[in-house]
Amino acid sequence: MAQCGPRVIIPIDVKKKPWEQKLPLHNRWHPEIPPVAEVTSGEVFRVEMVDFSGGGITRDYSAEDIKHANPSIVHYLSGPIRVHDSDGVPAKPGDLLAVEICNLGPLPGDEWGYTATFDRENGGGFLTDHFPCATKAIWYFEGIYAYSPHIPGVRFPGLTHPGIVGTAPSVELLKIWNERERKLQEEGLETFKLCEVLHSRPLANLPSTRGCVLGKIKEGTPEWERIANEAARTIPGRENGGNCDIKNLSRGSKVYLPVFIEGANLSTGDMHFSQGDGEVSFCGAIEMSGFLELKCEIIRGGMKEYLTPMGPTPLHVNPIFEIGPVEPRFSEWLVFEGISVDESGRQHYLDASVAYKRAVLNAINYLCKFGYSKEQMYLLLSCCPCEGRISGIVDSPNAVATLAIPTAIFDQDIRPKSKVPVGPRIVRKPDVLKCTYDGNLPITKNPSEAI
């Protein structure tokens, strides 16, 4: 009988290490990483993937694996996938690749995930100056719902999505990335005042041979050495899409990606069961292994037709995203505001990052009044389906950001009342898994907290 259903083009065995998989994975962007599979426009196909750490973060009830995580391996991706039309003509530079997410989910038999914060000396996160310790919460899946023994009293439906979907850069675009990010890393601390408020380091992750995996290219060869020293890290989103972490890219969504090289060389990974806007704890979604069932369409000449460059070259474009029809329905939200004034009381000019940081801190401190630790709420706000917004960006001097939390995810009423509830029902034990912070960087304190 003819096959019914999507063709599995990249299989994954979660019992094997990334380098033991049937088809090699990669964790860098470079135009010379060879494709491992090929698909035809209009074909529905299945791609399986490991979690971003390749199994390095485990289900063990310990945060030691987070504290000592190797940041150089991020992220293990499935692909590249070469795309051609029904006549066998590959996608060309200047085309637009429409990638439809037909279906997705965790790999059968591996229905669990984790949310974490990296140690401040090893990547940190959006609030690393407040939360310098490595922490972790394990989540288990019940169909569309997730719950964690480390954050009790919370259960919510996940909006599952891939954190990374992207095409390979051209040689010219790769050079643009490396030059601008190297300049930021070398000069940023001296030129950007925001670095005094946002403490994640390094400012940019530059090409490195450490932890580099280049698919079919054999490590140790002269070719591998050259490409490893040029290949871009997968950590930030860029013109090719990549690590955009858009939580709403679930079933029925489409991503319109620019094509920079022949065949497009599509790659994907970093599967999330659920994520809050901003993924603030950095390792901050519910990270998991998973699968995508995709369908691609090549829009010939689509880059010029639909994408307007915002920069000095035609390569300075960004993808377009079409959100699908499937989302959890919440009717009641508690919304926290932040303005661009930092914890020391210093005014910043229309800075949305400072405003969002303050909104998240406001939410964390509020929710702690209901029996939770700050670490529990930091992880929760990073992975639950909360909505972040830039509410105001024109009224000088304050940008206004908001964070909306669906109240239905809690087993208690979290709205303000005339009396804060007390009693054993809201004592949330156990806490998240946690390590000590052994560094000596200063921790930011709220001057009013002791008042």
Side-chain angles (χ1 to χ4, degrees):
M1 292 179 63
Q3 176 178 324
C4 183
R7 176 169 64 100
V8 180
I9 64 167
I10 302 178
I12 288 294
D13 183 345
V14 294
K15 296 178 182 178
K16 293 182 177 180
K17 301 294 185 184
W19 50 89
E20 297 172 339
Q21 299 297 329
K22 181 178 179 180
L23 295 176
L25 309 180
H26 66 102
N27 60 9
R28 299 292 192 271
W29 295 115
H30 196 282
E32 295 181 47
I33 299 175
V36 298
E38 190 166 327
V39 298
T40 302
S41 180
E43 172 189 9
V44 179
F45 58 93
R46 179 180 172 117
V47 179
E48 299 179 348
M49 59 207 77
V50 298
D51 77 285
F52 86 87
S53 75
I57 309 303
T58 72
R59 234 181 327 183
D60 292 347
Y61 279 21
S62 166
E64 290 294 328
D65 50 2
I66 290 290
K67 181 174 182 176
H68 303 291
N70 180 0
S72 70
I73 63 171
V74 177
H75 306 79
Y76 284 110
L77 303 182
S78 293
I81 302 163
R82 180 179 173 88
V83 184
H84 58 76
D85 63 21
S86 57
D87 296 322
V89 180
K92 302 284 188 181
D95 290 344
L96 206 58
L97 186 68
V99 182
E100 181 178 353
I101 300 175
C102 302
N103 196 14
L104 76 176
L107 289 178
D110 204 39
E111 290 96 347
W112 71 280
Y114 58 89
T115 307
T117 56
F118 294 116
D119 187 275
R120 188 173 179 182
E121 310 288 336
N122 195 31
F126 189 49
L127 304 181
T128 193
D129 55 318
H130 288 263
F131 300 94
C133 302
T135 64
K136 183 172 77 173
I138 302 295
W139 296 87
Y140 298 103
F141 309 150
E142 297 175 332
I144 66 170
Y145 290 93
Y147 74 94
S148 172
H150 303 116
I151 310 178
V154 171
R155 186 174 184 260
F156 53 82
L159 187 55
T160 303
H161 61 278
I164 298 179
V165 180
T167 51
S170 63
V171 171
E172 182 183 357
L173 182 58
L174 181 64
K175 183 179 179 182
I176 290 170
W177 291 353
N178 288 338
E179 287 180 351
R180 74 188 183 198
E181 291 176 20
R182 182 170 289 108
K183 184 176 181 181
L184 172 66
Q185 175 67 8
E186 292 172 352
E187 303 175 8
L189 286 172
E190 286 72 38
T191 58
F192 295 113
K193 291 294 184 184
L194 187 58
C195 296
E196 301 172 15
V197 184
L198 302 180
H199 295 266
S200 293
R201 299 291 185 270
L203 300 185
N205 293 272
L206 303 179
S208 170
T209 58
R210 183 171 182 254
C212 183
V213 179
L214 298 175
K216 290 182 177 180
I217 301 173
K218 188 175 180 180
E219 183 175 354
T221 63
E223 181 186 27
W224 185 91
E225 290 286 344
R226 175 181 61 82
I227 293 175
N229 279 293
E230 299 170 349
R233 299 296 306 278
T234 62
I235 293 173
R238 299 185 182 93
E239 286 84 349
N240 69 325
N243 193 25
C244 296
D245 286 324
I246 298 174
K247 78 175 195 310
N248 304 82
L249 290 180
S250 196
R251 288 178 183 84
S253 297
K254 279 188 178 180
V255 186
Y256 298 89
L257 295 167
V259 176
F260 299 105
I261 69 169
E262 184 177 287
N265 279 13
L266 175 71
S267 295
T268 185
D270 191 27
M271 282 293 290
H272 298 161
F273 187 83
S274 176
Q275 181 202 293
D277 280 335
E279 197 186 11
V280 289
S281 77
F282 195 16
C283 184
I286 299 181
E287 309 285 348
M288 68 174 192
S289 64
F291 73 90
L292 291 175
E293 292 174 1
L294 305 174
K295 183 171 69 172
C296 293
E297 177 191 356
I298 301 170
I299 302 175
R300 297 296 183 185
M303 275 181 66
K304 184 176 180 181
E305 190 70 30
Y306 294 108
L307 304 182
T308 302
M310 292 293 173
T313 78
L315 303 177
H316 287 80
V317 294
N318 295 100
I320 298 171
F321 304 92
E322 180 181 346
I323 301 305
V326 180
E327 291 190 356
R329 290 199 302 265
F330 296 106
S331 60
E332 297 182 350
W333 304 75
L334 206 56
V335 182
F336 296 86
E337 180 190 73
I339 59 175
S340 48
V341 176
D342 67 30
E343 297 91 321
S344 71
R346 182 173 52 171
Q347 179 74 60
H348 294 258
Y349 177 70
L350 294 178
D351 200 309
S353 296
V354 175
Y356 197 59
K357 184 181 182 185
R358 183 158 171 177
V360 176
L361 286 168
N362 285 339
I364 289 171
N365 281 279
Y366 175 86
L367 292 170
C368 286
K369 300 179 185 298
F370 294 86
Y372 292 100
S373 72
K374 291 184 178 181
E375 287 82 3
Q376 284 175 319
M377 292 301 94
Y378 185 26
L379 292 188
L380 179 66
L381 296 181
S382 194
C383 71
C384 77
C386 55
E387 301 278 348
R389 296 285 188 273
I390 298 175
S391 302
I393 202 68
V394 294
D395 298 315
S396 302
N398 276 331
V400 177
T402 56
L403 181 65
I405 303 169
T407 58
I409 70 175
F410 295 93
D411 70 353
Q412 59 178 307
D413 187 351
I414 61 165
R415 294 172 297 178
K417 305 174 193 64
S418 58
K419 184 178 180 182
V420 176
V422 294
R425 189 176 70 86
I426 63 163
V427 177
R428 299 304 179 186
K429 301 292 183 182
D431 202 349
V432 297
L433 306 165
K434 187 175 180 180
C435 292
T436 59
Y437 172 60
D438 304 322
N440 55 12
L441 294 172
I443 297 173
T444 303
K445 298 289 187 182
N446 177 3
S448 300
E449 197 163 18
I451 295 175

